[in-house]
Amino acid sequence: MSEIFQKLRAITNDKTLSPKQKAHYLALEAENMLPYPDLDADVAKALEQRVICDMYEGHAPYKPRYVLPDFSVVLKNGSEYLELPVPETLDEAINTLMIAYHHTPSVTGIPVYIGQLDDLLLPFCDGVSDDDLHRKIKLFWRYLDRVLPDAFMHANIGPTDNRVARAILRVDAELKQIAPNLTFFYDPDISSDAILKMATDNIVECSKPHIANHPIHRDTFDERGYGIVSCYNALPVAGGASTMPRLNLLEVAKRATSIADFFDNTLPHYMELNFRLGQARLDYLFNHSNFFTSFLVDEGWIARDRFTVMYGIFAMAEAVNTLQDIEGREGRYGFDDAANALGLKMSEMMAGIVENRPMENVWRGRAMLHSQAGLSTDAVTTPGVRIPYGTEPDPVSHVLALAPHHQFYTSGISEILTVDETVKNNPEAMLQLCKGALAHGFREFTANVASNDLVRVTGYMIRLSDVEKFQACEGSRTNTTALGSEAANMTGILDRKPRVVGQELSPKFAS
Amino acid sequence: MGRPDTHAIANKILTYSIVDGPGNRLVIFLQGCNFNCASCHNPYTIGTCDHCGDCVPACHANALSISGGKVIFDPANCDQCDDCLTICPISASPMVHEISVDDIVNIARTHRAFLSGITVSGGEATQQLKFITALFTAIKAAPDLRDLTCFVDTNGQLSAKGWDALLPVTDGVMLDLKGFDPALHTTLTGQNNTLVLHSAQIAAGAGKLHEFRFLAIPGKTDTAAEISALINFLTPFGPDIRLRLNAFQHHGVRGVARQWDKMEQAGIERIKAALLAAGFENITTPALYL
């Protein structure tokens, strides 16, 4: 017990965590004193060796990883359980949402989805002046950042060009807050060029929003719709994701004797173990935890049968390079055609296996493949299918190298494109890069401007100035700075290579 | 030179550039320049290889060889150490290659979704005028490419007759001026500035002067007299002329100009203030100082 006590004591006495953050970590430690859901020996061994990983979600899953309530339900019906009347004005609607967010569970305790805000709020905007709308959104935004300070909390807008979306984009650029994260749904047939330009101008200003490829996501889900939550996870609305077991492709590759062995034996073997890990966690959540007795289900905010499983994979770059080494080939992932083809073959094969493997208590009976963005403790691996930090080619070559993967990752995939700060003199370039990436099948366009204080780490935002402060031991108001600074120290994430202006000014012959 | 009008000698092709005109652009850097600026930040684009062979023994990677009296470059072996550029006695580069209009059209097609347009730069692009004209004509004639804007980045050393050929197929001109005082300009570039000033007027007259650039060098072109000449020259172009102030930096510069002072941000801001006071509204300053 003394080891556990030491750990708990370290949490209670920590200099930088707030009491609320301490309570969260203490609860996690308590949960993890319980025995793990039943795993067979092979799964347990692979988990212990971290070939497969449970994202440290906890030993007794009593809530889904990500919950996406259909907030239109509470705006339309009010809530009997929460004793909320049906809202009639914009103030009442925003107030109702603010209350609803506190009843939205998630893996971090802070909601990862706060709704398709323009669809939700537009019906309440008749007779509200642009100035009033701007002021109310600004207060709403301040509330979200200060009360729910977590960059995994995610708002969605678009694809139409509308007053609420514009007000949100304006406020987001003005305040440059970490929270909420923001995604604009882009559909070339519906969205105006003007609203897309406004969104990409915001990226130049503050590295937000993400731009989602709406037609592709829309066709992946059903008429009840989808949301982009947390980093860039695409999930069914009125449901979410129960869990995300993830596969470390580097560890799988290390256990193969050849490329053929990898595809014929090692990869299918560990994929199956990862399915079983996920199913064991699902069984606990659905059969033991009593989560689905919640009023959220009774009142129709969520439905028991709309929760998917995100089948996470990461470290493709290292896996490909390991297999290349085994075969004595020099080409590296991201740069060499044969290496890239090997990566693509992995994606295709994994998508096929996921599509054909039934799971119980999962939306549509199948998991959804996800290119996982990494944890702050991943030291030698690169998120998802990304090209390693510091070695990425220019943004266009980057997109062309990775675009073919995007069709396979139905529950989310994202590359962070780093654009140097000269783009501030030429924001049209950001618009063009975005259009190009989406036209080439990117599910998501995400970019950082090299000099912005607000930057993306593995999908969530941090302020560079907060990392500096945190490392000087002052603590941080926002939850993700702790993760971000751990990531920056361990994974070299801030080495993500900005495009230097000198490369255009002094052209060198490409090899 | 015996090269067809549809071919040119290129130093470099970029499919991603956000600093060579509006949006993201395909940029072709052509080899060879008719100026010889001490301040040049890519001096190895000035000369044209005369196959003297001095660079061949300097190449430690065996990327250069001589065959049939010509220097042959093998990009597969090159590790970009640039020793050949350092040793070249005429500021040329052996690492150039011949490109055709068809090559560029194909690249533009592959990258179409990412591109706002095409910029031909250099070296001095207009030295290979017939190639540029043929390229822009081909772009305008292709239904899937004609929305790409065609820009030329030039030092302005081109005759009125040259502009007559180029302007009808050009959407925008970005023109660099190195100085107003004729003697100063000759010292800085090796040529006088009569044609340059005239070129700016021709492009502006056609409504195609996208950007006028002025290189500020401390103690040389940042003087009161130069700034006042800049204001006088640009006034007829109207207050919304897009004006970019470039700051002289040491990056890439060789020889005597390494001893010159770098242009600091404060100096650029001072020039900008003078231009704003004179009524100009569209002034761009460097996003960063190296």
Side-chain angles (χ1 to χ4, degrees), chain A residues 252-254 256-260 262-263 318-329 332 342 346:
Chain A
V252 178
K254 279 185 188 168
T257 55
S258 66
I259 289 178
F262 177 83
F263 284 110
E318 290 76 16
V320 167
N321 290 342
T322 299
L323 293 178
Q324 290 282 93
D325 289 344
I326 291 174
E327 301 281 345
R329 299 188 198 156
R332 298 292 95 175
L342 192 54
M346 281 186 206

Side-chain angles (χ1 to χ4, degrees), chain A residues 144-464:
Chain A
L144 290 169
D145 180 74
R146 304 307 191 279
V147 178
L148 302 168
D150 194 307
F152 290 94
M153 178 181 60
H154 210 126
N156 294 176
I157 52 173
T160 61
D161 183 347
N162 63 72
R163 292 175 64 204
V164 173
R166 282 176 174 257
I168 285 174
L169 287 170
R170 191 177 145 201
V171 165
D172 207 47
E174 277 171 23
L175 297 180
K176 297 183 176 55
Q177 296 173 165
I178 292 173
N181 210 332
L182 184 65
T183 288
F184 176 77
F185 291 7
Y186 177 67
D187 182 339
D189 293 335
I190 298 172
S191 314
S192 70
D193 269 7
I195 189 95
L196 181 63
K197 177 72 166 38
M198 200 173 167
T200 55
D201 281 356
N202 269 32
I203 297 176
V204 173
E205 195 72 33
C206 60
S207 294
K208 282 197 284 179
H210 302 259
I211 313 290
N213 197 330
H214 180 61
I216 290 181
H217 288 301
R218 182 196 55 213
D219 295 347
T220 302
F221 293 90
D222 60 13
E223 66 290 342
R224 197 127 189 221
Y226 69 96
I228 302 290
V229 313
S230 181
C231 296
Y232 51 82
N233 311 328
L235 297 170
V237 165
S242 299
T243 183
M244 175 161 60
R246 69 168 188 164
L247 187 64
N248 183 336
L249 292 174
L250 169 61
E251 291 299 321
V252 178
K254 279 185 188 168
R255 286 160 173 78
T257 55
S258 66
I259 289 178
D261 182 44
F262 177 83
F263 284 110
D264 293 346
N265 305 309
T266 330
L267 182 61
H269 173 70
Y270 284 103
M271 280 196 77
E272 175 56 25
L273 298 186
N274 199 40
F275 278 113
R276 295 191 331 229
L277 172 65
Q279 193 64 57
R281 301 184 58 78
L282 285 173
D283 290 347
Y284 191 92
L285 176 69
F286 279 80
N287 302 335
H288 301 288
S289 79
N290 287 311
F291 173 79
F292 293 97
T293 60
S294 160
F295 79 97
L296 296 171
V297 179
D298 298 338
E299 294 190 2
W301 300 32
I302 57 174
R304 185 185 162 101
D305 58 4
R306 290 186 61 82
F307 285 83
T308 187
V309 164
M310 296 166 70
Y311 194 102
I313 63 99
F314 72 112
M316 175 170 285
E318 290 76 16
V320 167
N321 290 342
T322 299
L323 293 178
Q324 290 282 93
D325 289 344
I326 291 174
E327 301 281 345
R329 299 188 198 156
E330 282 184 8
R332 298 292 95 175
Y333 183 72
F335 298 91
D336 176 76
D337 288 345
N340 289 351
L342 192 54
L344 194 60
K345 190 176 167 193
M346 281 186 206
S347 286
E348 195 176 356
M349 179 160 166
M350 292 189 292
I353 291 175
V354 168
E355 236 173 78
N356 290 306
R357 168 65 159 81
M359 293 189 81
E360 272 172 57
N361 285 318
V362 173
W363 182 60
R364 290 176 166 173
R366 297 290 187 278
M368 297 174 84
L369 196 59
H370 182 73
S371 170
Q372 204 271 325
L375 285 174
S376 50
T377 48
D378 297 335
V380 294
T381 50
T382 302
V385 304
R386 286 182 193 160
I387 299 169
Y389 299 125
T391 68
E392 310 97 319
D394 72 74
V396 171
S397 309
H398 199 157
V399 170
L400 289 174
L402 295 180
H405 289 274
H406 277 229
Q407 58 186 307
F408 300 116
Y409 294 87
T410 50
S411 66
I413 175 168
S414 177
E415 327 310 334
I416 302 175
L417 303 176
T418 302
V419 180
D420 74 77
E421 59 190 304
T422 55
V423 77
K424 290 181 176 174
N425 283 337
N426 184 8
E428 195 197 332
M430 190 64 86
L431 175 71
Q432 194 66 51
L433 282 176
C434 174
K435 284 186 164 179
L438 297 181
H440 279 263
F442 258 42
R443 298 181 98 87
E444 198 87 29
F445 174 80
T446 300
N448 262 345
V449 176
S451 69
N452 279 350
D453 185 34
L454 207 52
V455 299
R456 234 165 254 296
V457 178
T458 62
Y460 54 90
M461 311 287 297
I462 58 167
R463 274 201 189 111
L464 293 179

Side-chain angles (χ1 to χ4, degrees), chain A residues 426 432 436 499 505 507-509, chain B residues 12 18 23 44 82 95 114:
Chain A
N426 184 8
Q432 194 66 51
R499 287 267 306 116
L505 289 180
K508 270 191 187 179
F509 200 88
Chain B
K12 171 102 175 166
I18 61 173
Y44 49 85
D82 289 351
M95 301 181 287
F114 297 97

Side-chain angles (χ1 to χ4, degrees), chain B residues 175-190:
Chain B
L175 186 143
D176 255 69
L177 183 77
K178 308 296 193 306
F180 280 94
D181 179 75
L184 174 66
H185 191 274
T186 304
T187 311
L188 291 174
T189 70

